[in-house]
Amino acid sequence: MGFEVGQLVMLRVDPARMGPVIAVLPAVDGRARYRVFHGPGASRDYAEDQLVTAAEATGGDGADRLRPDEFRAQLTAARLRHPLTDHIYALRAARIRFVPFQFRPLLRLARADEPRLLIADNVGVGKTIEAGLIMKELAARQPLDTVLIVCPKALTVKWREEMRRFDEDFRILDASALRYCLNEAHLEGRWPHEYRRSIVHYELLRLDPYLQGEHEGRRNTVGLFELDPPPHFDLVIADEAHHARTPGTNAHQVAKYLSEISTAMVLLSATPIQTSSQDLFTLLQLLRPDLFPEPQALVDMLEPNRYLTAAVRALREASNQAPDIAIAQLARAAATPWGRRTIAIDPRYQATLRRLGGESLTAEDRVRCVTDIEELNTLAPLVNRTRRRDIGPFTLREPHTIAVGFTPAQQEFYDRLLQARRDELLRRYDPTIVALILVTLERQAASCLPALASRIAMSDTFSTAGLTDAPESEGDEPMRGTSALPVDSDLRDLARALPPDDPKLEQLVQLVRDAQAAPGSGKILLFSYFLHTLDYLAERLAAAGVRVGIVTGRTDELDRQHLRDRFRAERSLPEALDVLLSSEVGCEGLDYEFCDRLVNYDIPWNPMRVEQRIGRIDRFGQRSPKVLVFNFVTPGTVEERVFHRCWERLGLFSDTLGDLEGVLGEIVQDLNDLVTSTDLTGAQVDERARQLADNAVRLAEETRSLGEASADLLGLDESLTRDLDALVEEGRAVTEQQLEELLREFLAAPSLSGTIESSPGGALRMRLSRSARTALTAMLDAQAALAATRPGQQLRRWLSSNEPGFAITFSVDAATADRSLAFLTPTHPLVRLAVNALAPPDGHQLSARLHISDEGVPEGNYLFAVDTWETIAARPEFRAVGFAVDLSTFEPAPTIERRLLALLAEAGTADITTATDSVEKARYVLDAHAEQRRRAAVAVATEISDVLVARRLASLEAHHDRVAQRLAEQLAVAVEPRIARMRASERERAKAHYQQQRRALEERRGADIVSHRTAQGVLTVTHD
């Protein structure tokens, strides 16, 4: 029959040996011979009768090369063995409720050029779950041997429990465990394997002995910064990352070091901007120091964003003028210095302009434009910001103000206290320092005067030290004067004589009684900035018969979790708590969606604290249609006159901060400066505070109104989940069904001959003979990393036991309902063993003759192929690309191609045969079509790669220009020759370093795509 050069053939007795004919050799004994290419350095010579065409293997003669179930299982194994960038593997990988918007950070990270991300979602959106999903996705894509979670001490237990929902066992490092890890890393050169999943809290890790070591006297211990070589972490997750926002602190130095020694890093913070954009810069620099070498880099990158945001808003308003407005705003963004370097050359920018400038803008075009413009945002690859209002309605907030004035005796003591303290301080300190200390004292008095009076009555001295555990107070302590000051004897006597009447406490007790009598949980979560207030309330509430608990930074993490469990318990249970008292850090990161009443016993001076407090109960999963927020204020105090009135006018108690961080960052500083001013009278302070509030309200209204049109465009839920929906529809997510087919095919091997039996409720039972268990144990032991995992240990225990069946499930619902079931996800050891056994060897092409009934695509017979594309560029990618050609028209079939993976996942046995010549003709069309698409994709990949390089070059150039200018200025004023030579030498070194970095980046320009065929065959589609 003869073969031609370029024709695809395979060895008759081993179809895995496939390749194109590259030469026709001289015949021997009258028999034709051919040279076939199998890969680099792997060409072989064959006689004609040893070969068959690939067309014959795909059903041209009516024979299927693989059964449909074999084909599907091996194709799934191939996709799991070599994870693909355009797939998602963590879709059903955790014992959690499926919430589409929580996959957005995962998708963003998977498509980034570096696995680095700041998750800045609003409080209550679910950042912990999002980080867990990222961890599972990375584990499916690459070795994830070492993972470190860094968080506040109060959250260590919560993180450990949350990660168990992902079948991950994390160990919490106490002082001795951390010291052990450092010593082992010093001796072995790597982080100890038994602590490959670790949680450590900031309060411990930032201590000098663990960072710098101890080298005094007989103590000689190594610190983290001294380890050589340094340990390596595949993933570092830093929760409440704003703790590391202050450069120069140990917390910041630790975060910087961990960033340098980790492959992937995820920072979590609901409030990345506490007071200014400097906070955001600090966090972004931790993630990508190459893009953010100095604060000005962030300023430059943010400049185009204001215009991009305006373009998006115009499109969301959907007016007739929207396209023209958007074009104008895009032009302004591209005209900025940063925009000229990056946006103007971005293919998405040009494509958006073409769509907007067309004759008509369809709804689909508008959605595409909004998406592309948002992705042009220079922070898009680095920051995920999901706002509560973007994901549909949360519960309503209903604020109530409870104003309780001082009694006459309390007012007299309050006035005498402030005056006495002022007199004493003015003899010691500058008036500005005096004002700072008095403000703190007045805040404590407004919070709970009896608690303050009790301290004064029992001591001859008084200090503002130790009043609170709020992190923001730490930097202010030196100014506040922590040294103890003498207490005036008359003031102490007045404190001792203060009547026990406390109308504020009485109002609180009545509030508790009302809650207990009302429908619902009857629980109250109470916050105070001051520790002595909490201690006082705990004692008084308990005396009134209220079941009360207190949680602060002093509370052990196990006790903290126990208190939360008691607070969650039904109030009919004897161990249940009615009221939980919390400091600012007491409930940090813990969720109380089962509670619908919150009390601010004093008003935070930082609006972020307002949001964090209320966000503990107003979060995704809150069961009540509304939450009640009770704000206790004392009329006439600076807290009531300035901060409560301002926050109330801004609606902070009734709505979330949303996009208002920028507005509030400025007013916080202005209000704090105002209340500590020594030049203004009380009336002037009130008037100035009113003016500041008016300005803030105006800016807030403008910000809020500009965002309200978002739902009018496309329904924001659809916008946020569109990419995820497309991945699922196109078959680019590994499903429960595919994993079950994979395992069944694996267990069907003669060496195992295992079975899977169905059980009620989505549970399954795997059965294996003793010999099969021995074989599977050997496989598991050969994969030490798999055997060491929590699921691996569970499997190992069953294999060595006498239990007849292993209870498993592929269902998220079943796994969530019954934690004892082994939950089989793409990273489970059983699945990984199945992948290793069934994945076809490199170079092998799967083939089958398949049939599916699906009315969503045209009927017909189609030659199909699935290729793996490896993109070699600044952002490497591996993608599965489907091709299909109609065997009746010999034309490409784009509808089939888009859904090919999904169709193959459901396809069964085909009874129809197709002529070999038709298949062969279609193959040439398919190969030509595939090559055309590859070349077009290379052009796009080159443009994208050049944009990524341009962004890095822009940061590098801007940084170098500023360094060069600074050095030139220093050189110009250098009078002494030695200094001048030193400056000139420094300038030359900076120039050489810049040129070296620039050359390295320039070499990364361009892109190419290498294609490898994974599967091929004929697919018949009917509309039965």
Side-chain angles (χ1 to χ4, degrees), residues 1 3 8-12 48-57 65:
M1 60 182 180
F3 304 109
L8 195 64
V9 297
M10 60 177 61
L11 197 61
R12 185 183 298 275
E48 182 176 353
D49 58 358
Q50 293 179 281
L51 302 174
V52 294
T53 65
E56 293 179 77
R65 305 305 301 178

Side-chain angles (χ1 to χ4, degrees), residues 634-697:
T634 304
T637 61
V638 67
E639 177 180 286
E640 184 270 339
R641 292 174 8 241
V642 177
F643 290 94
H644 179 258
R645 292 181 186 178
C646 184
W647 300 160
E648 195 171 43
R649 292 197 61 201
L650 282 166
L652 299 190
F653 302 111
S654 58
D655 199 1
T656 60
L657 255 62
D659 298 325
L660 302 184
E661 286 115 326
V663 173
L664 296 174
E666 297 180 6
I667 193 174
V668 169
Q669 188 60 52
D670 291 341
L671 290 177
N672 277 277
D673 292 343
L674 179 64
V675 298
T676 57
S677 172
T678 58
D679 300 325
L680 301 177
T681 65
Q684 290 172 328
V685 168
D686 291 352
E687 175 59 23
R688 178 57 181 152
R690 186 190 62 77
Q691 295 172 358
L692 289 172
D694 288 344
N695 291 336
V697 167

